[in-house]
Amino acid sequence: MRFSDLPPPREVPPSSTSASTRIGTALPAVENASPRSAIEGTNGERGPSGHPRDFADVHHESLGPPATTSFRLRHLFNPARGWFRRIERGTNKFLSHHVFPRIPGISWPYSRALERDLAVSEASINLEGLDDALAGLKLLLVSDFHAGPFLAPDALQRTFGRLMTLEPDLILLAGDFATVRLEEVEPTLSAYRGLSAPLGVYGVLGNHDHYTGQPEALVQMLETTGIRFLQNRSVMLETGEGRLWLAGVDDLLCGDARLDDAMEGWADGTPSLLLSHNPDVFPEAVDRNVSLVLAGHTHGGQWRLPGLPVLVRMSRYRLDEGHYKAGNSQLVVSRGLGATGFPFRIGCPPEAVLLTLQPSRAL
């Protein structure tokens, strides 16, 4: 089904006694859902939805059944303060600030790889309590863009154009818009303006967005493109009798993630979505019976030999990529679009995730 006639999402106002009032001004109300923007192709030919036909087909694959997770901590790996992450983070920042931008043509190899290797992983997700009015809702999850020396802005725009041919009803952007500098994002703004969906485009910040030292300015810049940021906030998506909560939290490592603030006002029994850059919010989400958590951050390892475990894990709970289940909650982790550290991926092609939501009496 299509949702082009849906009313705009209703924001959940923060309680006057809640800490969420510290976040700032309320999210602006969404006007009537704008038609999906089409990015012009080279020949101008368009399909029935108004999108160009000249993009190469995107490889589709199944996300697979959910894996059961036990939340076993990696005690020797602390992604916030551990020695490995301090070295990796410092090296990444130095190279991205002072070395990579000075290498001519460095954006060409990865930009070409992104367009050549992009995969769309698909799955049907059953949500307990989802009303039939929302059955078939198509949710597009995209993460880890990493604007900067490795990614040419026109490659990102073409990639978004291809993804828009999927005609999602809701688009969720799971952070890491930048690599280390605010200036990296500005050339990509026209690409983000091409994203549009009847239920809206929502985002949260990632750890690299905080590396810029100007996360608030980054949010303001990206909101000019039509993205609504859910930094410890929530909205309720409605159509007829169908209701779906959507919340977002700030980055777990470098931001100020407040899950209780994000979930304030949620009604019991209403299916819920939580957008987080880092998948390690999942144990807390399970405790609060969040229906579905959507995340990125891990890059699937970025460098991975076939048949072997992830070489560099970014999740303390080994939530590397794909579909997970625990209790009454599910988690989907995307490998993301971009790359950091070095401009290539091994065994972890760039990925966007397309989920179709369906009602279920039980998970």
Side-chain angles (χ1 to χ4, degrees), residues 16 20 29 34 72-73 99 127 185 202 265-267 292 310 313 333:
S16 60
S20 62
S34 60
R72 289 184 302 138
L73 271 174
V99 178
L127 295 186
V185 178
Y202 295 90
W266 282 23
L292 176 62
V310 171
R313 278 196 161 107
V333 183

Side-chain angles (χ1 to χ4, degrees), residues 74 77 79 84-85 88 253 278-280 297-299 310 312-316 320:
R74 298 180 63 206
F77 174 74
F84 174 82
R85 284 290 284 141
E88 183 270 340
L253 302 182
N278 193 315
D280 285 354
H297 180 58
T298 66
H299 297 203
V310 171
V312 180
R313 278 196 161 107
M314 292 292 104
S315 167
R316 294 195 76 186
D320 301 315

